[in-house]
Structures are given as structure tokens and as C-alpha cells.
Amino acid sequence: MESLFRAWKTSRMAYLKFFENYSLEQLNRIPDGFSNNLIWNIGHIIATQHKLIYIGSGLEGHIPDQIFNTYQSGTRPSAAVSQQEADLLKRLLLEQIEPTIRDFNSKKFVTYQERTTGTGFHLTSIYDAFEWNNFHEGLHLGYMMSIRKFISLD
């Protein structure tokens, strides 16, 4: 599990760099041909981690319901994200890590509700959920790398 946690931390640090390198306006911009933006992808990986790890285990997580509802699968950006919400997302990127690892190490994840993701990955355990989460975050990092090319050109 240590390698999965290291990969997750590395992924989150890559996401954090978007806050350092782009303005709020750029984070909110949806380029032509795309259905979302940089900031939505960040919120989405936070919401998805919550769903995969905590909801899948029948536990309360570490994010506000509003963030989950705004960025879960099936949502799209509906308005520009405020600086206050962007600051919250930035904090949540890192604040989720240690409590989740602590919860894992203290064996809080006792059961897992087996399911198949929308892309066909079958989750049977908390271990599958952590693996899928890392894969999912990698996918969205790739989407963001594509979006940023168009943000920089505008």
C-alpha cells in the first residue's frame, strides 16, 4: 500500500501545480471543444476519491457534501468557481491524504460495496478502490494537460 499512497501523493502534488501556474480565470476557462475546465477536473478527482474510498466503504469522508455534489461523476461546470471555492479545493487536495491513510492504517475500511465503474473496472475491495483512484487521477491529469494547451494559447 505504501507505493499506492506515494503515487497518490505525487499525483496530488501535480494537481497542486495548476493552482500555482494558472490564474483563477484560466482555471475556470472551458476551451472550445471541451466540456469542462481545469478547476472542475480538480474538484472531480477530490469527489471521486471520496466516493471510491469512503462511500464505497459505507463511511463518512473528509469533504463537504457541496463539493461532492458539485464535482461527482455526471456533473459539468455550471458557473465560474469563486476564489473561496478554489482555495477550498486547493486545501482539500492535500488535506484528504493523511486522514485517509490514517483511516486505512487504523483499519476503518472494514467492508466494501462491490461495484463496476462506468469504464468497466470491477471494484471488489478497498485495495481495488485505491488502485482505481490512482488510475482515475492519472486520466484526469492527462485531460488537464490537454486543456492547458488551449488555455495557454488563448
Side-chain angles (χ1 to χ4, degrees):
M1 285 303 291
E2 287 306 313
S3 63
L4 282 174
F5 293 148
R6 272 195 316 275
W8 185 33
K9 289 177 184 179
T10 301
S11 170
R12 292 296 176 98
M13 294 307 292
Y15 278 95
L16 191 60
K17 289 181 182 178
F18 282 89
F19 286 104
E20 297 166 3
N21 296 324
Y22 295 92
S23 68
L24 183 60
E25 180 184 339
Q26 289 172 312
L27 291 171
N28 273 299
R29 189 175 303 146
I30 302 173
D32 290 340
F34 289 85
S35 60
N36 56 51
N37 53 29
L38 296 173
I39 196 86
W40 181 87
N41 279 277
I42 292 168
H44 177 67
I45 61 110
I46 291 167
T48 299
Q49 184 268 337
H50 171 75
K51 182 176 183 179
L52 289 169
I53 305 302
Y54 285 94
I55 293 175
S57 298
L59 299 172
E60 297 245 348
H62 303 283
I63 69 169
D65 288 342
Q66 179 203 356
I67 295 298
F68 178 72
N69 293 332
T70 302
Y71 296 101
Q72 68 177 310
S73 295
T75 65
R76 296 280 182 253
S78 58
V81 170
S82 68
Q83 186 63 58
Q84 181 181 8
E85 187 169 326
D87 292 343
L88 174 59
L89 292 172
K90 183 178 179 180
R91 281 195 321 273
L92 288 172
L93 270 175
L94 300 181
E95 285 180 359
Q96 278 186 297
I97 296 171
E98 292 309 319
T100 303
I101 294 171
R102 200 169 40 250
D103 289 346
F104 178 82
N105 288 334
S106 65
K107 304 191 183 330
K108 282 192 177 180
F109 303 110
V110 176
T111 62
Y112 196 81
Q113 184 177 4
E114 195 170 319
R115 72 180 189 88
T116 301
T117 68
T119 54
F121 192 86
H122 191 70
L123 305 173
T124 62
S125 69
I126 190 65
Y127 302 100
D128 289 350
F130 275 108
E131 287 179 4
W132 177 252
N133 183 67
N134 284 356
F135 179 80
H136 179 261
E137 289 195 15
L139 286 174
H140 282 273
L141 191 57
Y143 300 152
M144 290 174 69
M145 289 177 173
S146 293
I147 290 171
R148 76 177 181 187
K149 290 178 184 178
F150 293 94
I151 297 298
S152 299
L153 295 175
D154 289 347

